[in-house]
Amino acid sequence: MIGHGFMGAAHSQGWRVAPRFHDLPVRPEMTLLVGRSAGAVDAAAEKWGWQETATDWREAIDRDDIDVIDIVTPGGSHAEIAIAALAAGKHVLCEKPLANTLEEAEAMADAADRAGTDVFAMVGFTYRRVPAAAFARDLVLSGAIGDVRQVRASYLQDWLVDPEAPLTWRLKKDQAGSGALGDLGAHAVDLAQFITGQKVTGVSGLLNTFVHERPIPLDAIGLGGTPGLDRGQVTVDDLALFTGRFDGGAVGSFEATRMSTGRKNALRLEVAGTTGAISFDLESMNSLGFYDATAPQTRQGFTEIMVTEPDHPYLSAWWPAGHALGYEHGFVHQAKDFIEAVSEKRQPTPSFPDGLQVQKVLAGVERSAASDSIWTSII
Amino acid sequence: MIGHGFMGAAHSQGWRVAPRFHDLPVRPEMTLLVGRSAGAVDAAAEKWGWQETATDWREAIDRDDIDVIDIVTPGGSHAEIAIAALAAGKHVLCEKPLANTLEEAEAMADAADRAGTDVFAMVGFTYRRVPAAAFARDLVLSGAIGDVRQVRASYLQDWLVDPEAPLTWRLKKDQAGSGALGDLGAHAVDLAQFITGQKVTGVSGLLNTFVHERPIPLDAIGLGGTPGLDRGQVTVDDLALFTGRFDGGAVGSFEATRMSTGRKNALRLEVAGTTGAISFDLESMNSLGFYDATAPQTRQGFTEIMVTEPDHPYLSAWWPAGHALGYEHGFVHQAKDFIEAVSEKRQPTPSFPDGLQVQKVLAGVERSAASDSIWTSII
Amino acid sequence: MIGHGFMGAAHSQGWRVAPRFHDLPVRPEMTLLVGRSAGAVDAAAEKWGWQETATDWREAIDRDDIDVIDIVTPGGSHAEIAIAALAAGKHVLCEKPLANTLEEAEAMADAADRAGTDVFAMVGFTYRRVPAAAFARDLVLSGAIGDVRQVRASYLQDWLVDPEAPLTWRLKKDQAGSGALGDLGAHAVDLAQFITGQKVTGVSGLLNTFVHERPIPLDAIGLGGTPGLDRGQVTVDDLALFTGRFDGGAVGSFEATRMSTGRKNALRLEVAGTTGAISFDLESMNSLGFYDATAPQTRQGFTEIMVTEPDHPYLSAWWPAGHALGYEHGFVHQAKDFIEAVSEKRQPTPSFPDGLQVQKVLAGVERSAASDSIWTSII
Amino acid sequence: MIGHGFMGAAHSQGWRVAPRFHDLPVRPEMTLLVGRSAGAVDAAAEKWGWQETATDWREAIDRDDIDVIDIVTPGGSHAEIAIAALAAGKHVLCEKPLANTLEEAEAMADAADRAGTDVFAMVGFTYRRVPAAAFARDLVLSGAIGDVRQVRASYLQDWLVDPEAPLTWRLKKDQAGSGALGDLGAHAVDLAQFITGQKVTGVSGLLNTFVHERPIPLDAIGLGGTPGLDRGQVTVDDLALFTGRFDGGAVGSFEATRMSTGRKNALRLEVAGTTGAISFDLESMNSLGFYDATAPQTRQGFTEIMVTEPDHPYLSAWWPAGHALGYEHGFVHQAKDFIEAVSEKRQPTPSFPDGLQVQKVLAGVERSAASDSIWTSII
């Protein structure tokens, strides 16, 4: 695994726990953890249970006893690492967003293609693996809500509400690519497409930055700086709003924001079809709303399905009905699905081309927002 | 009162009940009900308790013993009646939308202006008078959520999901002006502006019609027609999606639809500010969500305020805490507010210019939607 | 109508509004309002629209032009008025609880029996007429949840939490009969029996008073008293908890309290059967939870039915789907049902014997509570 | 660890994961797994990551390299194992209920006492370690709801609704001790006492069995049996209902059932105090309702606190705000708390005497239920 931030903890838990609950064809070994700072990577490896460490990611790629490279670094480094890993015949799991630029994402998709039919690459849109989201897709694809007409997708957080929150790399366009759009909007787009089975073909968007200057973090000021006084420019969006059309005829709205006061992790999706609807909110991740418009009129309503039954996706491996799963279970399921697919020489999903397609949607939003919200096709 | 459809029942209940709970300076008399069909208007008057009937609205305007004209006819006839009534010195309460076209709406606002300082006109955006909505405005204007940054407004119904629902006048552009946009979007825009205290200054929009042909209703087919076989063109939108910017710096999204399966009357408004947020849904109209970001961190969350306390707007006239009000109470409050304002020679709100401004926003959405969603200023 | 407190306003609204929405065989006239204080009763009559007033309830009974006596006085006076009215051949609608003592209630039931087959008496358990509650009964009696096994019924309010709330008549046993038990528990018992179709046959209960002394109200202190200093004894319960068995085999728990901080009007009922369950809360009175255990396992969950469809009980008279009703609509429906039954010479429900049976359950709880919660049969 | 059923998986996950997120003074080693069937215990150890296996629990007690005995067998074997382990100087973690009989539970508490001040025993009421429940206790003990007056505690499941569910050991009194009472009621009692800080001093209860005969499971019929035809007697309760008084003056109701159709894992607790209230439901385990009756009247309501902030109990070790934890996190927190306490030579809670006290409450309910619900003191 390359990287050991927040996502490193989540991925480690995925690899560690997957074989303890799921019956897997092979058991993953947590061989090597790579990070730029020797001290930090050693501490992380000790805590999370990685056997060895390195400070250069190329070491991982050079080793013959390593089959899988898991990339959890910031987006700007994804392309270089993933392309090298694939060229070396390693399977790759890469955190989302696939890359910071469309060019990099395209190069990665090309690399995955060139890697041949025995080497696989996957991008980490983990929320697909929340059981309620996976079950939502099952319902929609089974026809339970008829033809999908309308989509309402949003991902709302609020950790940037405070104007004194520091100017981290996530707020600089050159390092993060974009703001809420790439960080959160990518999830909203992927989940909407996953659950509806339809792809976005055009968008009209608007980006907004509410707080334009923020304090430079202490560790970036240097000796001469004054904490709180030195301020730098926020160069990414705080809020992205866009409408979209899907290739199956659906029409939808999207929102991504890190400034929706009171919403902590509200990835919400509402899908309305000709004979039903579904409603999901990640803040209540073990349940799914389902409306069946074919039920007797007086008994219709949104059914709050607790998605914890043995026959729900992923659930047979876990606890009795009614016992909740949490955030990191998505990473356990991701590890399981990746291991199973690669072992069986199947392409795991979402693939790098899937990740690229999401990047194209986001790029379309940026182009539209830069041109007075003009309608913009996604090609 | 001119007109006696669904809105006529609601307005009648407003006039009837207002003096029984509120202490009013004058008690309204339900003098004359006007409708085109003598039989139908007589039946309605008998049922709702109007003293007399007429089939020509001009009769109401000619009578000296009538001080107030209440217009609940379809939008296309609002302008003619309201302008005549104001010219005759009658106070006017006119249902929303103010008119079907911007030109008519402007003429009505002009007429209200010309009527002088003793004759008043008001447009019926009744949802402002749902106590939870009125309290939301109080909270926001008191600074309880700080500066408003984000708005999420939608009005979702589903009565047109069925493609066999008949082609009524509401589905024809020449009679209804627009579809979900004018019918429901008008409420979403008015409520968003009312609660935030900010006006929409620009929009980018998209309109969509999902069902293009519908059966012509039995009573419109004529003798030679075949029920269900004769179909006509739907010429209005089923769905309107738009983004908007407000004059106070807020940014928002709007949705109006009559095809959101499972949503019956979901006028929803979420407003996020720098220090708090509010959340309202008309389907749960006696409660309001309020998030106070200045509370101790570990105790923050959305508080579900049951807006039924004596100190909440309009509530002192009603029942003990916890006893719910319903849909028509908004009309009772509207009657009360109108009577009080007119009696005290104050302009009731929303005024005709307020109604005109909402029409301008809707017209901007239509222009934007006709031009590839291009950003469109509201002037 | 005899009495003009809080319940008088609600009943007046019922008589006034019922004929405006429902098609009734006769239209009620609000002839005479009776109250002990001439000034107060005149003011109430003027406000609520009663034609005449009187200060002695016997006047109402003596008049030939009055067919119905509506009793909304405190419970201690019910028996005398109702018995006299029935003896005079008047139909009677009497607020709950039927009486303060079992003896009075029995005398009333006897009087109703003696009144013959053309004179009818009804007790006002209005919550049966909340559409969601009526629909719950329809569902249960239709077999939608199978055989009823478990009942959870509670009525929670919090207006006595403050120990400085004054010592009104409702807190004195000699005037109120009991505390939360009779005031709120009566509703819980009636609704549980109504919805399940089963009668309580035995109970084990506990009564508790948390605040034993309260300030005597200003108007009761007299000239020599000191507001807030003069305190009197609370002689009724603040909380009643009991378990019960039903004649159909169901087992249930009951709670009535006026000290459940934060609960304003939470009459809650959960009923679980062999193939389903229902869940109701008066604080969200337009919706009903319904669980269908015969649905496919992965799609099971509580469906939140918005009980506002035309085919739901009472709803065809009102607004389009999704438009909420409020507290006083129960009184409108009560007026409608009473008028229809009496006009058609049918016994309206709940009858005086029904009210008596509820009193017997409450009396059983009191006996059990006085004897160390010993199981007590209801005969 | 002795035993490897459902609880074994949960405890294993606790020991495995605790050191990966929490900073612990020592890291647990998963040395030996014990089960009666060699094949089954080997498979479990392989899956869950235990180093060795044995078929006799005495082996674990005899080994010097083992410091902690974790008991997850059925309740009937707890006493023998725990007493032997404590006598051998091992720390003991024992699943709830402490034992099947009061006598055994008392012997265990005595053994814990005799074990001295360096050897510790703890009983596994894991739900105390759900962050929202732990935070509820913090709120209550901090005085945030004032003096506790009322408690509503229930634990509702529905896996025995089907009369064809087989007659497992959990349905036989000689093996399980009791039914829903011990299985679920124990949790309700412990959690109510934990959160309020008050102990139950008296109860009045009722036990009910709805389904008296069930099919004997296939593996228990033997060769001559007929699946589904051979039926045996259910000798435990399906439902326990009881009222209780607490030593701090609170009064409460309790319910435990495995037949509440539609409720999968609803451990619910509502506590009302003089200045506030809290509301918890394990089916929505990451949130807590909190009512602050000292807030301005118009802003009061239940605040839904998402208990995922870094300053909430246990949360600093996990994910960013808004990212949910699941069922097994309680076991991770239990492992953490146990390891920390034992390492620091502190008594971990709940202790064996705490577990014994819960048993006494349950025994009191059984005695009361056997004597017409008569009030029964808990000594």
Side-chain angles (χ1 to χ4, degrees):
Chain A
M1 185 166 78
I2 322 294
H4 54 87
F6 159 32
M7 274 299 115
H11 281 236
S12 296
Q13 178 77 337
W15 299 119
R16 178 190 307 116
V17 172
R20 300 308 177 189
F21 287 85
H22 297 283
D23 291 316
L24 298 182
V26 297
R27 179 169 296 164
E29 285 175 36
M30 296 167 68
T31 312
L32 182 70
L33 183 67
V34 180
R36 279 178 299 188
S37 149
V41 73
D42 283 353
E46 167 73 8
K47 178 134 193 206
W48 298 340
W50 293 85
Q51 296 162 13
E52 301 171 50
T53 62
T55 54
D56 183 345
W57 57 265
R58 275 166 253 266
E59 231 176 274
I61 287 169
D62 289 344
R63 281 175 61 157
D64 286 344
D65 63 334
I66 287 179
D67 300 307
V68 172
I69 303 290
D70 183 4
I71 306 172
V72 297
T73 54
S77 57
H78 288 182
E80 188 182 10
I81 303 173
I83 292 168
L86 288 166
K90 313 293 193 198
H91 307 297
V92 173
L93 169 58
C94 180
E95 250 310 305
K96 57 63 55 182
L98 195 56
N100 274 2
T101 69
L102 214 47
E103 293 68 35
E104 288 170 348
E106 278 167 348
M108 291 170 77
D110 287 348
D113 187 46
R114 277 196 311 274
T117 54
D118 283 359
V119 176
F120 299 104
M122 177 183 176
V123 61
F125 284 113
T126 329
Y127 292 133
R128 292 181 171 208
R129 285 158 167 113
V130 170
F135 182 59
R137 174 179 163 94
D138 290 350
L139 276 177
V140 172
L141 296 197
S142 77
I145 68 166
D147 297 329
V148 174
R149 280 176 176 160
Q150 289 192 235
V151 175
R152 227 163 279 127
S154 54
Y155 199 161
L156 316 177
Q157 296 184 343
D158 74 352
W159 53 281
L160 284 177
V161 163
D162 181 359
E164 296 306 307
L167 185 72
T168 65
W169 69 268
R170 284 184 178 274
L171 295 164
K172 298 179 184 174
K173 192 170 179 52
D174 57 342
Q175 291 173 52
S178 69
L181 179 66
D183 182 13
L184 306 181
H187 281 298
V189 169
D190 182 67
L191 199 64
Q193 297 188 143
F194 173 68
I195 287 178
T196 62
Q198 297 189 18
K199 298 285 184 192
V200 173
T201 59
V203 293
S204 162
L206 170 166
L207 299 176
N208 198 71
T209 305
F210 291 101
V211 175
H212 293 277
E213 281 190 353
R214 288 182 177 276
I216 297 175
L218 280 185
D219 58 2
I221 298 176
L223 286 176
T226 312
L229 276 185
D230 288 289
R231 285 169 178 267
Q233 207 66 23
V234 173
T235 48
V236 299
D237 59 281
D238 289 326
L239 164 68
L241 286 177
F242 53 104
T243 55
R245 290 183 181 274
F246 292 75
D247 58 6
V251 182
S253 66
F254 294 85
E255 176 171 7
T257 172
R258 301 185 289 205
M259 282 207 174
S260 187
T261 312
R263 303 302 176 188
K264 303 303 173 186
N265 202 29
L267 174 55
R268 299 172 177 178
L269 198 73
E270 295 197 356
V271 181
T274 49
T275 63
I278 63 113
S279 172
F280 172 74
D281 186 339
L282 187 62
E283 287 190 352
S284 181
M285 64 184 285
N286 290 279
S287 80
L288 182 74
F290 170 51
Y291 189 96
D292 179 3
T294 68
Q297 184 72 54
T298 56
R299 298 188 187 186
Q300 290 183 18
F302 274 86
T303 299
E304 190 188 351
I305 302 170
M306 212 177 301
V307 186
T308 58
E309 294 294 321
D311 288 344
H312 284 134
Y314 302 106
L315 260 300
S316 61
W318 297 101
W319 314 107
H323 292 65
L325 300 190
Y327 169 67
E328 78 250 34
H329 289 79
F331 294 88
V332 176
H333 302 157
Q334 176 172 268
K336 165 195 176 284
D337 287 343
F338 183 85
I339 290 168
E340 286 180 348
V342 164
S343 300
E344 299 164 8
K345 299 196 183 303
R346 284 187 290 104
Q347 171 63 46
T349 58
S351 67
F352 275 17
D354 292 336
L356 169 61
Q357 187 269 345
V358 172
Q359 296 292 100
K360 285 181 177 173
V361 174
L362 304 184
V365 173
E366 289 192 287
R367 285 204 311 280
S368 172
S371 301
D372 282 340
S373 301
I374 193 81
W375 193 262
T376 301
S377 293
I378 311 303
I379 312 160
Chain B
M1 184 166 77
I2 323 294
H4 54 87
F6 159 33
M7 275 300 114
H11 281 236
S12 296
Q13 177 78 336
W15 299 119
R16 178 191 307 117
V17 173
R20 300 307 178 189
F21 287 86
H22 297 283
D23 290 316
L24 298 181
V26 297
R27 178 170 296 164
E29 284 175 35
M30 295 167 68
T31 311
L32 182 69
L33 183 66
V34 181
R36 278 177 301 188
S37 149
V41 74
D42 283 353
E46 167 72 9
K47 178 135 193 205
W48 298 340
W50 293 86
Q51 296 161 14
E52 301 170 51
T53 62
T55 54
D56 183 344
W57 57 265
R58 275 165 253 267
E59 231 177 273
I61 287 169
D62 289 346
R63 281 175 61 158
D64 287 343
D65 63 334
I66 287 180
D67 300 307
V68 173
I69 303 289
D70 183 4
I71 307 171
V72 296
T73 54
S77 57
H78 287 182
E80 188 181 10
I81 303 173
I83 291 168
L86 287 166
K90 312 293 193 198
H91 307 297
V92 173
L93 169 59
C94 181
E95 251 309 304
K96 56 65 56 184
L98 195 54
N100 275 2
T101 69
L102 213 47
E103 293 67 36
E104 288 171 347
E106 277 167 347
M108 291 170 77
D110 287 347
D113 187 47
R114 277 197 311 272
T117 53
D118 284 0
V119 176
F120 300 104
M122 176 183 176
V123 62
F125 284 112
T126 329
Y127 292 134
R128 293 181 170 208
R129 284 153 170 117
V130 170
F135 183 59
R137 174 180 163 94
D138 290 351
L139 276 178
V140 173
L141 296 197
S142 77
I145 68 167
D147 298 330
V148 173
R149 280 177 176 158
Q150 288 191 237
V151 175
R152 226 163 280 128
S154 55
Y155 199 160
L156 316 177
Q157 296 185 343
D158 74 352
W159 53 281
L160 284 177
V161 162
D162 181 358
E164 296 304 308
L167 186 72
T168 66
W169 68 268
R170 285 185 178 274
L171 295 164
K172 298 180 185 173
K173 190 169 179 56
D174 57 342
Q175 293 172 50
S178 68
L181 180 65
D183 183 15
L184 306 180
H187 281 298
V189 170
D190 182 68
L191 199 65
Q193 296 188 142
F194 174 68
I195 287 178
T196 61
Q198 297 189 19
K199 298 285 184 192
V200 172
T201 59
V203 294
S204 162
L206 168 167
L207 299 176
N208 198 70
T209 305
F210 290 101
V211 176
H212 293 277
E213 281 190 351
R214 289 182 176 274
I216 297 175
L218 280 185
D219 58 2
I221 298 176
L223 286 177
T226 311
L229 277 185
D230 288 288
R231 286 171 177 267
Q233 208 65 25
V234 173
T235 48
V236 299
D237 58 281
D238 289 326
L239 164 69
L241 286 176
F242 51 105
T243 56
R245 291 184 180 274
F246 292 76
D247 58 7
V251 182
S253 65
F254 294 84
E255 176 171 7
T257 171
R258 301 185 289 205
M259 282 208 175
S260 186
T261 312
R263 304 301 175 189
K264 303 303 175 187
N265 202 28
L267 174 55
R268 300 172 177 178
L269 199 73
E270 295 196 358
V271 181
T274 48
T275 63
I278 62 112
S279 172
F280 172 74
D281 186 338
L282 187 62
E283 288 190 353
S284 181
M285 64 184 283
N286 290 279
S287 80
L288 182 74
F290 170 52
Y291 189 97
D292 180 3
T294 68
Q297 183 72 54
T298 55
R299 298 189 187 185
Q300 290 183 18
F302 274 86
T303 299
E304 190 188 350
I305 301 171
M306 211 176 303
V307 186
T308 57
E309 295 293 321
D311 288 344
H312 284 135
Y314 302 107
L315 261 300
S316 62
W318 296 101
W319 314 108
H323 292 65
L325 301 191
Y327 168 68
E328 77 250 34
H329 288 80
F331 294 89
V332 177
H333 302 157
Q334 176 172 268
K336 165 194 177 284
D337 288 343
F338 183 85
I339 290 167
E340 286 180 349
V342 163
S343 300
E344 298 164 9
K345 298 196 184 301
R346 284 186 290 105
Q347 170 62 47
T349 59
S351 68
F352 275 17
D354 292 337
L356 170 61
Q357 187 268 345
V358 171
Q359 296 291 101
K360 285 181 177 174
V361 174
L362 305 184
V365 173
E366 289 192 287
R367 286 205 311 280
S368 172
S371 302
D372 282 342
S373 301
I374 194 80
W375 193 261
T376 301
S377 293
I378 309 304
I379 313 160
Chain C
M1 185 166 78
I2 322 294
H4 55 86
F6 159 33
M7 274 300 114
H11 281 236
S12 296
Q13 177 77 338
W15 299 119
R16 179 190 306 117
V17 172
R20 302 306 178 189
F21 287 86
H22 297 282
D23 291 317
L24 299 181
V26 298
R27 178 170 297 165
E29 284 175 38
M30 296 167 68
T31 312
L32 181 70
L33 183 66
V34 180
R36 278 178 300 189
S37 149
V41 74
D42 284 353
E46 166 74 9
K47 179 135 193 204
W48 298 340
W50 292 86
Q51 295 161 14
E52 300 170 52
T53 62
T55 54
D56 183 344
W57 57 266
R58 276 165 250 266
E59 231 176 274
I61 287 168
D62 289 344
R63 280 174 63 156
D64 287 342
D65 63 335
I66 287 179
D67 301 306
V68 172
I69 302 289
D70 182 5
I71 306 171
V72 296
T73 54
S77 57
H78 288 182
E80 187 180 12
I81 303 173
I83 292 167
L86 287 166
K90 312 293 191 196
H91 307 298
V92 174
L93 170 59
C94 180
E95 250 310 304
K96 54 66 54 183
L98 194 55
N100 275 2
T101 69
L102 213 47
E103 293 66 35
E104 289 170 345
E106 278 166 348
M108 291 170 78
D110 287 347
D113 187 46
R114 278 196 310 274
T117 54
D118 283 359
V119 176
F120 299 104
M122 176 184 176
V123 61
F125 285 113
T126 329
Y127 292 133
R128 293 182 171 208
R129 280 142 175 128
V130 170
F135 183 59
R137 174 178 164 92
D138 290 350
L139 276 178
V140 173
L141 296 197
S142 77
I145 68 167
D147 297 331
V148 173
R149 281 177 175 158
Q150 288 192 237
V151 175
R152 226 163 279 128
S154 55
Y155 199 160
L156 316 176
Q157 296 185 343
D158 74 352
W159 54 280
L160 284 178
V161 163
D162 181 359
E164 296 305 307
L167 185 73
T168 66
W169 68 268
R170 286 183 177 275
L171 295 164
K172 298 180 184 174
K173 192 169 179 53
D174 57 342
Q175 292 172 51
S178 69
L181 179 67
D183 182 14
L184 306 181
H187 281 298
V189 169
D190 181 68
L191 199 64
Q193 296 188 143
F194 174 68
I195 287 179
T196 61
Q198 296 189 19
K199 299 285 184 192
V200 172
T201 59
V203 294
S204 161
L206 169 165
L207 298 176
N208 198 70
T209 305
F210 291 102
V211 176
H212 293 276
E213 281 190 352
R214 290 181 175 276
I216 297 174
L218 281 186
D219 57 2
I221 299 176
L223 284 177
T226 311
L229 277 186
D230 288 289
R231 286 170 179 268
Q233 208 65 23
V234 173
T235 48
V236 298
D237 59 281
D238 290 326
L239 164 69
L241 286 177
F242 52 106
T243 56
R245 290 185 181 275
F246 293 76
D247 58 6
V251 182
S253 65
F254 295 84
E255 176 171 8
T257 171
R258 301 184 288 205
M259 282 208 175
S260 187
T261 311
R263 304 302 175 188
K264 303 302 173 186
N265 202 29
L267 174 54
R268 299 172 177 178
L269 199 72
E270 294 196 358
V271 181
T274 49
T275 63
I278 63 113
S279 172
F280 172 73
D281 186 340
L282 188 62
E283 288 190 353
S284 180
M285 64 184 282
N286 290 279
S287 80
L288 182 74
F290 170 51
Y291 189 96
D292 179 4
T294 68
Q297 183 72 53
T298 56
R299 298 188 187 185
Q300 290 182 19
F302 274 87
T303 299
E304 189 188 351
I305 301 172
M306 210 177 302
V307 186
T308 58
E309 295 293 321
D311 288 345
H312 284 133
Y314 303 106
L315 260 300
S316 62
W318 296 101
W319 313 108
H323 292 65
L325 301 190
Y327 168 68
E328 77 251 35
H329 289 80
F331 294 89
V332 177
H333 302 156
Q334 176 172 269
K336 164 194 177 285
D337 288 344
F338 182 85
I339 290 167
E340 286 180 350
V342 164
S343 301
E344 298 164 9
K345 299 197 184 300
R346 285 187 288 107
Q347 171 63 46
T349 59
S351 68
F352 275 17
D354 292 336
L356 169 61
Q357 186 269 344
V358 171
Q359 296 292 100
K360 286 181 177 173
V361 175
L362 304 184
V365 172
E366 289 190 287
R367 285 205 311 280
S368 172
S371 301
D372 283 340
S373 301
I374 193 79
W375 193 262
T376 301
S377 291
I378 311 302
I379 312 161
Chain D
M1 184 166 78
I2 321 295
H4 55 86
F6 159 33
M7 274 300 114
H11 281 236
S12 296
Q13 178 77 337
W15 299 119
R16 179 191 305 118
V17 173
R20 302 307 178 189
F21 287 87
H22 297 282
D23 291 316
L24 299 181
V26 297
R27 179 170 296 164
E29 283 175 38
M30 295 166 69
T31 311
L32 182 70
L33 183 66
V34 180
R36 281 177 298 188
S37 150
V41 74
D42 284 352
E46 166 73 9
K47 179 137 192 203
W48 298 340
W50 292 85
Q51 295 161 13
E52 301 169 51
T53 62
T55 54
D56 183 345
W57 56 266
R58 277 166 250 267
E59 230 177 274
I61 287 168
D62 290 343
R63 281 174 62 156
D64 287 342
D65 63 334
I66 286 179
D67 301 306
V68 172
I69 302 290
D70 183 5
I71 306 171
V72 296
T73 53
S77 57
H78 288 183
E80 186 181 12
I81 304 173
I83 291 167
L86 287 166
K90 312 293 192 197
H91 307 298
V92 174
L93 170 59
C94 180
E95 250 310 304
K96 54 67 55 183
L98 194 55
N100 275 2
T101 69
L102 213 48
E103 293 66 36
E104 288 170 347
E106 277 166 348
M108 291 170 77
D110 287 346
D113 187 47
R114 280 196 310 274
T117 54
D118 283 359
V119 176
F120 299 104
M122 175 182 176
V123 61
F125 284 113
T126 329
Y127 292 133
R128 292 181 171 209
R129 285 156 168 115
V130 170
F135 183 59
R137 174 179 163 94
D138 291 350
L139 277 177
V140 173
L141 296 197
S142 77
I145 67 166
D147 297 331
V148 173
R149 281 177 176 158
Q150 288 191 236
V151 175
R152 227 163 279 127
S154 54
Y155 199 159
L156 317 176
Q157 296 185 343
D158 75 351
W159 54 280
L160 284 177
V161 163
D162 181 359
E164 296 305 308
L167 185 72
T168 65
W169 67 269
R170 286 185 178 274
L171 296 163
K172 298 180 185 173
K173 192 169 178 55
D174 57 342
Q175 293 173 50
S178 69
L181 179 66
D183 182 13
L184 306 181
H187 281 298
V189 170
D190 182 68
L191 200 64
Q193 296 189 144
F194 174 68
I195 288 179
T196 61
Q198 296 188 21
K199 298 285 184 192
V200 172
T201 58
V203 294
S204 161
L206 169 166
L207 299 176
N208 199 71
T209 305
F210 291 101
V211 176
H212 293 276
E213 281 190 350
R214 289 181 177 276
I216 298 175
L218 281 185
D219 57 1
I221 299 176
L223 284 177
T226 311
L229 277 186
D230 288 289
R231 287 170 177 266
Q233 208 66 23
V234 172
T235 49
V236 299
D237 59 281
D238 290 325
L239 163 70
L241 286 176
F242 52 105
T243 56
R245 291 185 180 272
F246 293 76
D247 58 8
V251 183
S253 64
F254 294 84
E255 176 172 7
T257 171
R258 301 185 288 204
M259 282 209 174
S260 187
T261 311
R263 305 300 176 189
K264 302 303 173 185
N265 202 29
L267 175 54
R268 300 172 177 178
L269 199 73
E270 295 196 358
V271 182
T274 49
T275 64
I278 62 112
S279 173
F280 172 74
D281 186 338
L282 187 62
E283 287 191 352
S284 180
M285 65 183 282
N286 290 278
S287 80
L288 182 74
F290 170 53
Y291 189 96
D292 179 4
T294 68
Q297 184 72 54
T298 56
R299 298 188 187 187
Q300 290 182 18
F302 275 87
T303 299
E304 190 189 350
I305 301 172
M306 211 177 303
V307 186
T308 57
E309 295 293 321
D311 288 345
H312 284 135
Y314 302 106
L315 260 300
S316 62
W318 296 101
W319 314 108
H323 291 66
L325 300 190
Y327 169 67
E328 78 249 34
H329 289 80
F331 294 88
V332 177
H333 303 156
Q334 176 172 269
K336 165 194 178 285
D337 288 343
F338 183 85
I339 290 167
E340 285 180 350
V342 164
S343 300
E344 298 165 8
K345 298 194 184 302
R346 285 187 288 105
Q347 170 63 46
T349 58
S351 67
F352 275 17
D354 292 336
L356 169 62
Q357 186 269 343
V358 172
Q359 296 292 99
K360 287 181 177 172
V361 175
L362 304 185
V365 173
E366 288 190 287
R367 285 205 310 279
S368 172
S371 302
D372 283 341
S373 301
I374 193 80
W375 193 261
T376 302
S377 292
I378 309 302
I379 312 158

